Amino acid sequence: MTTTSDRIEKQIVLRASPERVWRAIASAREFGSWFGVNLQDDFVPGATVRGAITIKGFENVAMTMLIERMEKERVFAFRWHPYAIEPNVDYSQEPTTLVEFRIEAVAEGTRLVVTESGFDQLPEGRRFKAFEMNSGGWTAQLANIERYVA
Amino acid sequence: MSRNLAATLRKGAPVFAALGDETRLRLIEKLSSGEALSIAQLTEGEPVTRQAITKHLEVLADAGLVKSSRRGRERIWELQPTRLADAHAYLDRISAQWDDSLERLRAFVED
């Protein structure tokens, strides 16, 4: 659910131990396995880890993660360029968003909260094809605005 | 990979910055009825000056969210809904991608 224009926050309760969830996130090999990316190196704070996406439709798109913080079974944070999938664009000079995974033990297993923030700083002047709304018309647009400002 | 998807996934960066302010969000709300409003109408009920409201409207205009025109001697402002919908749609896309990723994580750890 989007709460503001600058960040996205997701929560999920997993029927697995915090230790299991931590391993799935903090091990580059395991992370890559479920996320869908072939990462070349391990996750270490301060490291730049590169890989190629394996998700259908995005095969071989390059992905770069700048590892910020790793607190075992508590926080895993990294920076990246969200959906940096345009082949001829050099994203390396642009601001990154911050992705934080926070782990908490709960009765059912583990609560994982994922936050991605920093969208407000994404660069101006980028021109892409206008997003074509499937349902055009003022009514549909107003409904979007209403949801957004509510 | 769909070129259309690639082109539409990143959109409206300045829009997010323009929306990151309470007063500007209220201006958007006031304009969301679709009616064009004057500075006087938009300043009504706001604890800031007309000048401040004008500056906020200029930020919104720079981001393509509102546009102004002349009605007689007055300048009136109205919403340009497409850009706001684009910004919303962009975050929705990222949000949906996270939903998918987290379901893959769930399948991975809950065996």
Side-chain angles (χ1 to χ4, degrees), chain A residues 10-17 20-21 24-25 30-31 33-35 101 106 108-112 114, chain B residues 98-111:
Chain A
K10 300 283 175 181
Q11 275 203 40
I12 187 174
V13 174
L14 297 163
R15 287 191 316 271
S17 69
R20 177 73 195 93
V21 174
I25 286 164
E30 294 208 20
F31 183 97
S33 217
W34 60 265
F35 186 88
F101 286 83
V106 293
E108 305 86 348
T110 303
R111 174 183 291 122
L112 179 66
V114 183
Chain B
W98 274 116
D99 288 336
D100 290 348
S101 301
L102 290 178
E103 282 309 308
R104 293 197 300 275
L105 172 61
R106 187 202 294 285
F108 187 76
V109 297
E110 281 187 356
D111 48 17

Side-chain angles (χ1 to χ4, degrees), chain A residues 73-87:
Chain A
E73 289 172 38
R74 287 196 47 237
V75 183
F76 173 57
F78 61 87
R79 296 190 157 276
W80 67 1
H81 303 288
Y83 294 97
I85 59 178
E86 289 277 317

